[in-house]
Amino acid sequence: MNRNEGFVKRRNVTRENSEGVNKDEQNNEKKLNRDEEVDDGDSKETRLTLMEEVLLLGLKDKEGYTSFWNDCISSGLRGCILIELGLRGRVELEKVGMRRRGLLARKLIVKNDTPIGDVLLDEALKHLKETDPPETVQSWIEYLSGETWNPLKLRYQLKNVRERLAKNLVEKGVLTTEKQNFLFFDMTTHPLTDNVTKSRLIKKIQDAVLAKWVNNPQQMDKRMLALIFLAHASDVLENAFAPLNDDDYELATKRVRKLLDLNFEEEANKPNTSDVLWAVFAAFTK
């Protein structure tokens, strides 16, 4: 996917501890949990994973389904899963070594197999743990999406991801479940019921590239950085920018392009970063 796709023209629409885990990893997990608890004042019921946030951005509020023309969100959600596992300290890229291999050539390895408690994340973690030798981030996005020519790898496909995420959002009180008739078939849909949660999500993204813009990706919150990239890769970022006035829209898309044009290899080599994060970005923009 081209890094700047999706911004050609504006649409006319209006929005745990386990053995062998070191103290740093434990602290990162605790910090993640604290961040989720205080994130913009969200209650426990409305804390969302990256996958849920991207899906929520893509869902039509009243209709309760994603665009039939969006063929990017499937792989985008798998990228979200890998980044979630990376941010939660479950996976990492193999060490660089003397050959200095690039992000897309390095294998994704499990460093902590403690279950997270999220069915999709734990299912993906189980697949990663059982695979020997390890595979690259690009390969795992393809395997988890079922987009592989290797029949032996089809067992790694995560099935019904959108429906399972939508059900999570129903349980959190963000969506509801309905049946709609589409001429020749019935389809389960999930219209929005909690507009506050989606509005807060959209505002959070807008602020990250406007009012709270820091002009340094290393100083940006890693989850927000991931959300911007994966929403773009999933072709749903436009939905967060559509309500903006023309000047803010132009500025927001300009800053997103700046992020998309970063040298991911250089960013991954900087201290206190997540190499899995940058490897997933590289996989979607190669």
Side-chain angles (χ1 to χ4, degrees):
M1 180 176 180
N2 187 292
R3 295 188 184 189
N4 291 329
E5 282 182 11
F7 296 129
V8 177
K9 68 176 182 178
R10 184 175 185 179
R11 301 172 189 165
N12 293 318
V13 291
T14 51
R15 192 115 304 245
E16 65 250 28
N17 291 354
S18 66
E19 294 182 3
V21 182
N22 62 38
K23 291 183 179 179
D24 288 340
E25 290 170 2
Q26 294 175 19
N27 290 338
N28 286 339
E29 186 79 7
K30 291 176 182 177
K31 181 179 184 300
L32 175 62
N33 292 335
R34 287 199 303 272
D35 289 346
E36 287 181 339
E37 290 171 3
V38 301
D39 184 21
D40 288 338
D42 285 0
S43 66
K44 183 177 180 180
E45 288 74 27
T46 55
R47 278 186 268 141
L48 308 179
T49 63
L50 281 173
M51 303 90 73
E52 292 165 350
E53 289 178 323
V54 168
L55 179 66
L56 186 56
L57 282 174
L59 284 174
K60 300 175 184 290
D61 293 355
K62 294 181 180 180
E63 294 86 346
Y65 52 83
T66 56
S67 170
F68 293 127
W69 310 110
N70 188 338
D71 58 356
C72 303
I73 196 169
S74 178
S75 57
L77 291 173
R78 273 65 174 188
C80 289
I81 289 172
L82 296 182
I83 289 180
E84 277 281 4
L85 291 174
L87 294 179
R88 292 171 184 263
R90 297 310 193 271
V91 298
E92 63 183 355
L93 294 187
E94 63 181 345
K95 302 305 178 186
V96 176
M98 296 184 64
R99 297 178 64 181
R100 303 292 297 179
R101 286 176 295 174
L103 289 169
L104 295 179
R106 293 161 63 188
K107 308 296 185 182
L108 188 63
I109 59 177
V110 175
K111 69 173 182 177
N112 175 7
D113 61 1
T114 304
I116 293 169
D118 179 282
V119 176
L120 278 173
L121 293 176
D122 289 340
E123 185 178 341
L125 184 61
K126 182 174 181 288
H127 288 325
L128 282 155
K129 180 185 176 183
E130 294 174 347
T131 302
D132 188 29
E135 301 278 1
T136 64
V137 164
Q138 178 72 59
S139 294
W140 273 114
I141 291 173
E142 295 172 358
Y143 297 162
L144 297 177
S145 302
E147 298 174 356
T148 174
W149 293 101
N150 187 342
L152 299 178
K153 304 295 184 180
L154 288 175
R155 63 191 180 95
Y156 294 137
Q157 181 182 6
L158 298 180
K159 298 181 180 179
N160 304 317
V161 169
R162 269 177 269 191
E163 180 63 22
R164 292 160 74 180
L165 289 172
K167 288 181 178 178
N168 288 349
L169 291 169
V170 171
E171 292 176 0
K172 294 180 179 182
V174 180
L175 305 177
T176 188
T177 302
E178 295 180 356
K179 287 280 188 182
Q180 287 196 31
N181 181 271
F182 288 87
L183 209 57
F184 298 114
F185 63 94
D186 291 333
M187 185 174 82
T188 301
T189 61
H190 299 282
L192 184 69
T193 57
D194 181 3
N195 189 58
V196 173
T197 298
K198 185 164 185 177
S199 296
R200 184 179 291 140
L201 172 62
I202 290 173
K203 180 68 162 55
K204 184 170 65 172
I205 296 172
Q206 292 173 352
D207 284 348
V209 292
L210 292 172
K212 298 181 180 179
W213 174 250
V214 294
N215 201 32
N216 183 346
Q218 297 297 328
Q219 294 179 3
M220 289 184 70
D221 176 75
K222 292 184 179 66
R223 295 183 68 82
M224 176 51 63
L225 187 63
L227 177 56
I228 291 172
F229 268 97
L230 272 301
H232 177 268
S234 302
D235 197 21
V236 299
L237 186 58
E238 168 73 15
N239 297 341
F241 292 162
L244 295 172
N245 63 53
D246 289 344
D247 289 341
D248 284 346
Y249 179 91
E250 183 178 356
L251 181 58
T253 54
K254 178 181 178 181
R255 286 173 172 171
V256 171
R257 289 191 195 101
K258 184 174 181 179
L259 293 175
L260 296 171
D261 288 336
L262 289 169
N263 185 316
F264 301 145
E265 297 286 349
E266 290 181 1
E267 297 298 328
N269 288 325
K270 294 179 180 179
N272 302 317
T273 190
S274 169
D275 50 7
V276 175
L277 186 98
W278 296 106
V280 172
F281 296 169
F284 280 104
T285 55
K286 69 171 188 174

